[in-house]
Amino acid sequence: MIRYLSSRLFVFIIAFFLLTVFTFSLNFFFPGDALTNMTGVRTFSDYYPILSEARGTDKNIALQYINYMQHLLSGNWGASLSSGDYVFKQAYQHLFASLELIIGALILAVIIGVPSGVLAATQFRGPIDKSVISLAMAGYSIPVFWLAQLLILFFAVKLDWLPITGQINPLYGIAPKSGAILFDIALSDSDYKAAAFQDALNHLILPVIILSIMPMMLLLRLMRNATQEMLQKPYVKAARARGLNEFQVLLKHAVPNATQSVLQQVPLIFSLLLSNSIVIESIFNWPGIGNWLVRAIFERDFPVIQACVLIIAFTILLFNLIVDLYRGWRFPIVRHE
């Protein structure tokens, strides 16, 4: 396990190094002054010469990169060109707002997608299997932005059951601290916490459901194929021959082994969720990292664009590392492959 852990950490560190080199290079690829792109401080500011000396812009490129890494690791990510606020403080609030949405969608996708896939596998080529697979193909093919508009029109505009945009009604006066609205309500001293929780959950329902549709359908198909493959294995037939009923065969043999191959695709599903969240956050005006990135692109706010690229790529890398380590610990055969 130590050798496996070392190899995975080595790959993670190399990938992180290449990512920081890429984001550092963006300062020179963006139009305008490289130091302004990096820090948000304009060339006419009195602070510019002091910052130029601190960042070592007159030194070679290797020393400039080392200075960049020191500021990056210390949380000094510069200031936004449009708002003037510190990028690091804004970044973690937007990140936690996105994670609240993504984790909710992932949980919903697993709760519905995995059992539906197992059910389809047990009814292989039967009417239930064909219905579930047809539904999965349709759900995977529907564009996210179209589905979002459709559900907003039906549930928010026509029926008036759910709010259209935002995290919570501003009348509750919940000050953003972490960025995750449910957590911020819990931390607040509001006299109306229960009502605020209810309102925040109402705001979460539509974006979470829409964001979960595509990974849910993908999980369903993966689980169905993997479980069906396991049900044909000799050790499953031997288990049936020993007198185990179909439910015991599924629970003890087929599903745990099918999970191993499905787990391998979870990082791909997480990347899909993160990329789709950019569209969903823009439609629902959710204050997440995707919505922040889109606004920064329109405003040409280069320090914010750089921070968003770094955060999104680092989150995907970290999630891949966690899943790899879990697979290596849970399934010893992975360490020998």
Side-chain angles (χ1 to χ4, degrees), residues 140-172:
Y140 193 77
S141 307
I142 296 174
V144 171
F145 62 88
W146 185 81
L147 184 64
Q149 298 295 343
L150 196 69
L151 294 186
I152 286 173
L153 281 174
F154 188 70
F155 289 106
V157 177
K158 189 172 179 59
L159 298 178
D160 197 22
W161 287 355
L162 297 169
I164 298 175
T165 60
Q167 267 187 317
I168 190 171
N169 191 324
L171 291 176
Y172 287 104

Side-chain angles (χ1 to χ4, degrees), residues 269-281:
I269 294 171
F270 184 77
S271 304
L272 186 69
L273 275 169
L274 204 53
S275 55
N276 280 345
S277 71
I278 296 174
V279 179
I280 297 297
E281 287 172 9

Side-chain angles (χ1 to χ4, degrees), residues 3-215:
R3 187 176 175 183
Y4 178 79
L5 176 68
S6 305
S7 68
R8 290 292 138 188
L9 283 176
F10 179 73
V11 172
F12 174 77
I13 290 169
I14 293 294
F16 178 68
F17 167 71
L18 293 175
L19 174 63
T20 56
V21 169
F22 173 70
T23 53
F24 173 69
S25 306
L26 286 177
N27 298 313
F28 302 92
F29 293 151
F30 289 142
D33 182 75
L35 185 59
T36 302
N37 294 337
M38 194 184 308
T39 62
V41 176
R42 313 275 185 174
T43 51
F44 52 78
S45 168
D46 296 337
Y47 188 54
Y48 185 87
I50 302 170
L51 196 64
S52 176
E53 187 179 350
R55 293 273 182 168
T57 51
D58 56 337
K59 297 184 174 64
N60 62 51
I61 200 75
L63 288 174
Q64 288 186 45
Y65 171 75
I66 291 171
N67 271 320
Y68 167 76
M69 285 302 298
Q70 286 174 344
H71 286 88
L72 192 70
L73 295 175
S74 64
N76 184 0
W77 292 16
S80 165
L81 286 171
S82 58
S83 66
D85 295 331
Y86 288 111
V87 171
F88 182 77
K89 185 183 176 185
Q90 287 185 307
Y92 81 81
Q93 288 186 344
H94 288 295
L95 176 64
F96 281 108
S98 286
L99 287 179
E100 185 176 46
L101 207 61
I102 290 169
I103 290 171
L106 187 60
I107 291 172
L108 185 63
V110 170
I111 288 174
I112 297 179
V114 171
S116 302
V118 175
L119 175 66
T122 58
Q123 306 291 323
F124 188 57
R125 292 182 180 170
I128 294 178
D129 179 36
K130 290 176 181 174
S131 303
V132 170
I133 289 302
S134 301
L135 185 66
M137 289 179 70
Y140 193 77
S141 307
I142 296 174
V144 171
F145 62 88
W146 185 81
L147 184 64
Q149 298 295 343
L150 196 69
L151 294 186
I152 286 173
L153 281 174
F154 188 70
F155 289 106
V157 177
K158 189 172 179 59
L159 298 178
D160 197 22
W161 287 355
L162 297 169
I164 298 175
T165 60
Q167 267 187 317
I168 190 171
N169 191 324
L171 291 176
Y172 287 104
I174 303 297
K177 292 177 182 173
S178 67
I181 188 63
L182 296 179
F183 197 59
D184 285 346
I185 294 171
L187 291 178
S188 73
D189 54 358
S190 171
D191 295 329
Y192 306 98
K193 277 189 181 180
F197 267 119
Q198 183 62 49
D199 189 71
L201 288 173
N202 287 342
H203 280 80
L204 270 168
I205 289 174
L206 270 183
V208 164
I209 288 176
I210 296 163
L211 189 59
S212 69
I213 294 292
M214 197 173 280

